[in-house]
Amino acid sequence: MLFSKKEYQDRLKKTQHSMQEKGLELLISQDTNNINYLTGYDAWSFYYAQCVIVHVNLEEPLCFVRAQDAGGAYIKTYLKKENIIVYDEKYIHTWPMHPYDSLVSLIKERKWDKLNIGVEMDSHYFTAYSYEKLKKGLPNANITDSERLINWVRFLKSEAEINLMKGAAKISENAMKVAMESINPGIRQCDAVAEIQRALFRGTPEIGGEYASIAVLLPTGKGTSASHLTATDEKFVNGEATVVELSGVNKRYHCPIARTVHLGKPEQKKIDAMKATNEALNEGISAAKPGNTADDVAQKFWGVLDKYNIKKESRTGYSIGIGYPPDWGEHTLNISKDDKTILKPNACFHMIAVMQFGDWGVEASESVRITDKGSELFCNFPKDLHIK
Amino acid sequence: MLFSKKEYQDRLKKTQHSMQEKGLELLISQDTNNINYLTGYDAWSFYYAQCVIVHVNLEEPLCFVRAQDAGGAYIKTYLKKENIIVYDEKYIHTWPMHPYDSLVSLIKERKWDKLNIGVEMDSHYFTAYSYEKLKKGLPNANITDSERLINWVRFLKSEAEINLMKGAAKISENAMKVAMESINPGIRQCDAVAEIQRALFRGTPEIGGEYASIAVLLPTGKGTSASHLTATDEKFVNGEATVVELSGVNKRYHCPIARTVHLGKPEQKKIDAMKATNEALNEGISAAKPGNTADDVAQKFWGVLDKYNIKKESRTGYSIGIGYPPDWGEHTLNISKDDKTILKPNACFHMIAVMQFGDWGVEASESVRITDKGSELFCNFPKDLHIK
């Protein structure tokens, strides 16, 4: 078991407390991260229906998985065997049959079909089809959007979680160092990623790495104007910049980092943009402390950009912790103006400045932890434009 | 452009033809694979709303992406700039605002809000929230499930696609060879995956590798009873089996392969199970030819299992091609009894036998292409239990 039973029980109690506040008696979460958080379940089975089911009064949640994954649930969760609910293989991609037919039957058997049931309407993998199955199968239930209830329980980390993230940060540093060494003119992008991936999985002698919830992002040249491009088998070109965004992963906990490397002498505009970006990041992070809001951090960040007359429309950060594909963001706090979320100790976020200027761009980021009096960075790696 | 403009146009025409058959005038597809198939778009931006929009009469589809990804869409798609529709950054994770608010506005502006509109109800990332936004925002539209309309257009590959898959298969072979070399007693699982990942990205001198849509699956020891477990930092143990399932990727096209390796002398039951599994796979594949159905292949496969009195509940294959996380299956053909899909030349599927026996298991697979008269395997790699 990765965490103590007490820690899992605390997570459940906080979730049930939030459910009571929202008037929910049953909560169905298809969010892979939330399933992991509440049960310990960890497998690449999220490509079809599975969920954690929380009853407001029960001492354990239920983990609902397909038959082929029952063995994984017995190994990975802390739950009693009776709380792992297995659905039949006949439901896998055999529409109009669907795993949620089996879920509806389960809810009826337990006589939960007249309860106030929360579902995570906009969470990854909670498809419109699953929702319709529940609505049609449970006409007497009151089904509402629980929004990001469990995500918000995840917002403040325990010391055990912080320690895992510190381990992930060490892996991120190692991998970024390898990235900076591997990106050279005439080298294929994929060959640089090969070395980065190797570093991400080797981790440290004490901590092994895992697959990240986002692939290594590696926009290069004109691609630096687009933040989510991945490596191809084309070669790096002298005179061009490359953005590297990656994350070490330790027991599913992430600590992402982004840096920009330039091959050959950069134009002055890129040097200036990188300097302004880093000044804005540092200024924003200086406002990251308990009692301040996400907006306070954003105001400081955009204050610097305004000084340099730089426009940026997108948010500049989001909460982090557990991650499964396709995202390592927690979908709670955003570092943007008007986000009035109050920062508290052990809130953790990825403060990332994606700066796009037509057909070029630069990026840098820090993973930040709110401490008792201020904040600290998870990674120790220079943010300057890395020129080689 | 990865494919000729004619190939993209053919794909669109086939899609529009299917739409006409189903009585659909507009199709909204959030499926990452379908977006790539119809536009060429390729970026890790699928963690929030994006889609391809097909009007039954227009000469190009629309690609709907967030502002931050506009640059990526200009670079990666074959579309005219006017057909790349960019939504504002203010919609990113700022509920109750949502990118589909912007999509609704677009559909109204184009006066498409009274059409018969198809949506892919059970596709990855098409959340219940997105669906509700469409239903509430377009009360005069007739919104129905298009099911896997575009997925079925993808079912039969072009020669260009087959060539890409053959390249992916070479990468799969290389990586599986590295896996067999790297898995040894006392080695951490993550360190073996580090070498496998390196091989997957290095690819061949001619073809660079990409991230796969499923992480390297590496259940070991008791974990072989569960098919979707990934590597940890624990060490391989002498006397235990490890299943390796991976895929080389070439321009998003996959050719998966699964093999089982055993460290030290295996028990006879594992040797016997592996032999029966491979006999069943070979017998099933012998029935894979144009005119036969998926059921014909399945009957042959289960015929062998019955002979050995082995039970297996799960399907034993599925269609493959383009893949994005979380899946490399196409969600069309299943190799299972009662799937009456007729095999035709250039249908491609992953024939995989996941064999679970309580607290242990074995696996093997082949990626198969239907040819004019029969079938051929993409990978050339022995399926025997690899004992070392």
Side-chain angles (χ1 to χ4, degrees):
Chain A
M1 213 189 308
L2 185 56
F3 298 96
S4 68
K5 192 161 180 191
K6 185 183 173 306
E7 182 151 348
Y8 282 116
Q9 286 171 333
D10 282 351
R11 295 173 177 187
L12 179 65
K13 280 180 196 159
K14 284 179 193 164
T15 301
Q16 289 170 325
H17 181 74
S18 290
M19 287 170 66
Q20 282 173 328
E21 285 185 339
K22 283 212 177 206
L24 296 176
E25 296 162 298
L26 197 72
L27 179 54
I28 297 168
S29 171
Q30 172 100 22
D31 182 308
T32 319
N33 310 286
N34 293 343
I35 298 172
N36 173 272
Y37 184 74
L38 290 179
T39 73
Y41 184 64
D42 175 31
W44 194 291
S45 51
F46 42 87
Y47 63 83
Y48 207 39
Q50 57 181 21
C51 59
V52 58
I53 304 158
V54 182
H55 187 283
V56 71
N57 292 328
L58 288 186
E59 283 181 11
E60 280 191 6
L62 306 182
C63 186
F64 178 80
V65 293
R66 68 186 271 198
Q68 201 175 91
D69 294 313
Y74 298 143
I75 292 168
K76 294 286 183 181
T77 74
Y78 84 95
L79 305 178
K80 289 177 198 152
K81 199 166 175 178
E82 69 205 47
N83 289 326
I84 292 164
I85 311 295
V86 171
Y87 70 78
D88 200 282
E89 287 293 322
K90 72 182 179 189
Y91 292 111
I92 301 298
H93 296 165
T94 50
W95 302 271
M97 292 206 297
H98 191 273
Y100 270 51
D101 291 333
S102 175
L103 180 59
V104 162
S105 299
L106 172 78
I107 289 171
K108 284 181 173 171
E109 279 164 24
R110 305 259 170 146
K111 303 200 184 306
W112 293 341
D113 54 319
K114 292 179 183 169
L115 299 187
N116 291 321
I117 301 177
V119 294
E120 298 168 331
M121 289 292 285
D122 206 33
S123 92
H124 296 129
Y125 311 131
F126 185 62
T127 63
Y129 202 82
S130 305
Y131 179 54
E132 290 291 301
K133 281 283 182 187
L134 288 181
K135 281 210 304 183
K136 285 181 187 158
L138 303 170
N140 298 316
N142 178 28
I143 301 173
T144 57
D145 191 355
S146 64
E147 298 176 326
R148 284 139 300 277
L149 187 158
I150 307 173
N151 305 54
W152 280 109
V153 173
R154 286 162 46 203
F155 180 50
L156 302 181
K157 271 66 184 170
S158 70
E159 291 306 315
E161 290 180 292
I162 295 292
N163 282 336
L164 291 176
M165 291 179 73
K166 286 182 177 175
K170 284 201 198 325
I171 300 175
S172 297
E173 288 171 4
N174 288 353
M176 187 58 80
K177 186 164 174 285
V178 168
M180 293 302 169
E181 290 164 0
S182 306
I183 294 171
N184 290 301
I187 298 294
R188 298 189 304 178
Q189 299 167 29
C190 59
D191 291 333
V193 174
E195 303 308 320
I196 296 168
Q197 281 288 335
R198 186 168 182 266
L200 284 169
F201 277 90
R202 288 184 69 83
T204 73
E206 297 77 29
I207 305 163
E210 303 180 358
Y211 67 87
S213 52
I214 300 180
V216 174
L217 299 177
L218 199 83
T220 185
K222 199 177 165 188
T224 55
S225 67
S227 53
H228 294 117
L229 297 183
T230 53
T232 70
D233 51 11
E234 289 177 23
K235 291 173 180 172
F236 295 108
V237 175
N238 204 42
E240 291 193 347
T242 299
V243 170
V244 183
E245 186 179 347
L246 57 79
S247 182
V249 186
N250 183 16
K251 312 290 184 291
R252 302 315 314 149
Y253 284 82
H254 288 61
C255 256
I257 182 172
R259 295 291 183 267
T260 306
V261 53
H262 199 282
L263 300 178
K265 193 172 181 296
E267 297 158 88
Q268 191 60 40
K269 67 178 182 184
K270 292 181 187 168
I271 295 172
D272 294 344
M274 192 79 251
K275 276 190 184 166
T277 299
N278 287 338
E279 188 182 327
L281 282 172
N282 293 338
E283 191 67 15
I285 292 168
S286 75
K289 56 184 174 186
N292 272 2
T293 64
D295 171 83
D296 290 325
V297 177
Q299 294 291 353
K300 289 279 188 186
F301 176 87
W302 267 278
V304 174
L305 295 193
D306 290 346
K307 187 174 83 179
Y308 293 109
N309 204 20
I310 295 173
K311 283 201 175 165
K312 173 180 163 57
E313 303 291 338
S314 54
R315 67 178 175 182
T316 197
Y318 46 78
S319 186
I320 52 168
I322 297 170
Y324 281 91
D327 200 2
W328 56 48
E330 287 190 317
H331 303 177
T332 48
L333 163 140
N334 287 318
I335 303 292
S336 59
K337 289 181 187 174
D338 301 328
D339 187 320
K340 299 293 189 185
T341 306
I342 297 170
L343 301 174
K344 292 179 184 169
N346 286 353
C348 300
F349 60 91
H350 186 213
M351 177 88 179
I352 177 160
V354 175
M355 310 302 294
Q356 299 178 340
F357 307 92
D359 63 352
W360 63 281
V362 295
E363 278 185 45
S365 78
E366 296 286 3
S367 285
V368 180
R369 170 200 181 192
I370 303 295
T371 58
D372 284 345
K373 295 187 174 169
S375 70
E376 65 182 16
L377 306 183
F378 278 104
C379 295
N380 177 13
F381 203 100
K383 279 201 292 290
D384 313 321
L385 186 62
H386 189 88
I387 301 165
K388 60 187 289 191
Chain B
M1 212 189 311
L2 184 55
F3 298 96
S4 69
K5 193 162 178 189
K6 183 180 176 307
E7 181 151 349
Y8 283 115
Q9 286 172 332
D10 282 349
R11 294 172 178 189
L12 179 65
K13 278 180 198 158
K14 284 180 194 164
T15 301
Q16 289 170 325
H17 181 74
S18 291
M19 287 170 66
Q20 282 172 327
E21 287 185 337
K22 283 210 177 211
L24 296 175
E25 296 163 299
L26 197 71
L27 178 55
I28 298 168
S29 171
Q30 173 97 24
D31 182 308
T32 318
N33 310 288
N34 292 343
I35 298 171
N36 173 274
Y37 184 75
L38 288 180
T39 74
Y41 184 64
D42 175 31
W44 194 290
S45 53
F46 43 86
Y47 64 84
Y48 208 37
Q50 59 180 19
C51 58
V52 59
I53 304 159
V54 182
H55 187 285
V56 70
N57 291 329
L58 288 186
E59 282 181 12
E60 279 191 9
L62 306 181
C63 186
F64 178 80
V65 294
R66 68 186 272 199
Q68 202 175 88
D69 295 313
Y74 298 142
I75 293 169
K76 294 287 184 179
T77 74
Y78 83 95
L79 304 178
K80 289 178 197 149
K81 199 167 175 178
E82 70 205 45
N83 290 327
I84 293 164
I85 311 295
V86 171
Y87 70 80
D88 199 283
E89 286 292 321
K90 72 181 180 189
Y91 292 111
I92 301 298
H93 297 165
T94 50
W95 302 271
M97 292 206 298
H98 191 274
Y100 270 52
D101 290 334
S102 175
L103 180 59
V104 163
S105 299
L106 172 78
I107 290 171
K108 283 179 173 172
E109 280 163 24
R110 305 261 169 142
K111 303 200 186 305
W112 293 340
D113 54 319
K114 292 180 182 168
L115 299 187
N116 291 323
I117 301 178
V119 293
E120 298 168 332
M121 289 292 284
D122 206 34
S123 93
H124 293 129
Y125 311 131
F126 184 62
T127 63
Y129 203 84
S130 305
Y131 179 53
E132 289 292 300
K133 282 284 183 189
L134 288 181
K135 280 209 306 180
K136 284 180 187 160
L138 303 171
N140 298 317
N142 176 29
I143 301 174
T144 55
D145 191 355
S146 64
E147 299 176 327
R148 284 140 298 280
L149 186 157
I150 306 173
N151 304 53
W152 280 110
V153 173
R154 286 162 47 205
F155 180 52
L156 300 181
K157 273 66 187 171
S158 70
E159 291 306 314
E161 290 180 292
I162 294 291
N163 281 337
L164 290 176
M165 291 179 74
K166 286 182 177 176
K170 284 201 200 323
I171 300 175
S172 297
E173 288 171 3
N174 289 351
M176 187 58 80
K177 185 162 174 284
V178 168
M180 292 301 168
E181 289 163 0
S182 305
I183 294 172
N184 290 299
I187 298 294
R188 297 189 306 177
Q189 297 167 30
C190 59
D191 291 333
V193 174
E195 303 309 319
I196 296 167
Q197 281 287 335
R198 186 167 182 267
L200 285 169
F201 277 90
R202 287 184 69 83
T204 73
E206 297 78 29
I207 306 164
E210 302 181 359
Y211 67 88
S213 52
I214 299 182
V216 174
L217 299 176
L218 200 83
T220 185
K222 200 177 164 186
T224 54
S225 66
S227 53
H228 295 116
L229 297 183
T230 53
T232 70
D233 51 10
E234 289 177 23
K235 292 173 180 172
F236 295 106
V237 175
N238 204 42
E240 291 193 345
T242 299
V243 170
V244 183
E245 185 178 347
L246 58 79
S247 182
V249 186
N250 182 17
K251 312 290 183 293
R252 302 315 313 150
Y253 284 80
H254 288 60
C255 256
I257 181 172
R259 294 292 183 266
T260 306
V261 52
H262 200 282
L263 300 178
K265 193 172 182 293
E267 297 156 88
Q268 191 61 39
K269 67 178 182 184
K270 292 181 187 168
I271 296 173
D272 293 344
M274 193 77 251
K275 275 191 186 167
T277 299
N278 287 339
E279 188 181 328
L281 282 171
N282 293 340
E283 191 66 15
I285 292 167
S286 75
K289 56 184 175 188
N292 273 0
T293 64
D295 172 84
D296 290 325
V297 177
Q299 294 291 353
K300 288 279 187 186
F301 176 87
W302 266 279
V304 174
L305 295 193
D306 290 346
K307 185 175 81 177
Y308 293 109
N309 204 20
I310 295 173
K311 283 200 173 165
K312 174 180 164 58
E313 301 292 338
S314 54
R315 67 179 176 183
T316 198
Y318 45 78
S319 186
I320 52 169
I322 297 170
Y324 281 92
D327 200 1
W328 56 49
E330 287 190 316
H331 303 178
T332 48
L333 162 139
N334 287 318
I335 302 293
S336 58
K337 290 181 187 174
D338 300 329
D339 187 319
K340 300 291 188 185
T341 307
I342 297 169
L343 302 174
K344 292 179 185 170
N346 285 352
C348 300
F349 60 91
H350 185 212
M351 177 88 179
I352 179 163
V354 174
M355 310 302 295
Q356 300 178 340
F357 307 92
D359 62 354
W360 65 281
V362 295
E363 278 184 44
S365 78
E366 296 287 3
S367 285
V368 180
R369 170 201 181 191
I370 303 295
T371 59
D372 284 343
K373 295 190 173 169
S375 70
E376 65 182 15
L377 306 183
F378 278 104
C379 295
N380 177 13
F381 203 99
K383 279 201 291 291
D384 312 320
L385 185 61
H386 189 88
I387 300 165
K388 59 188 286 193

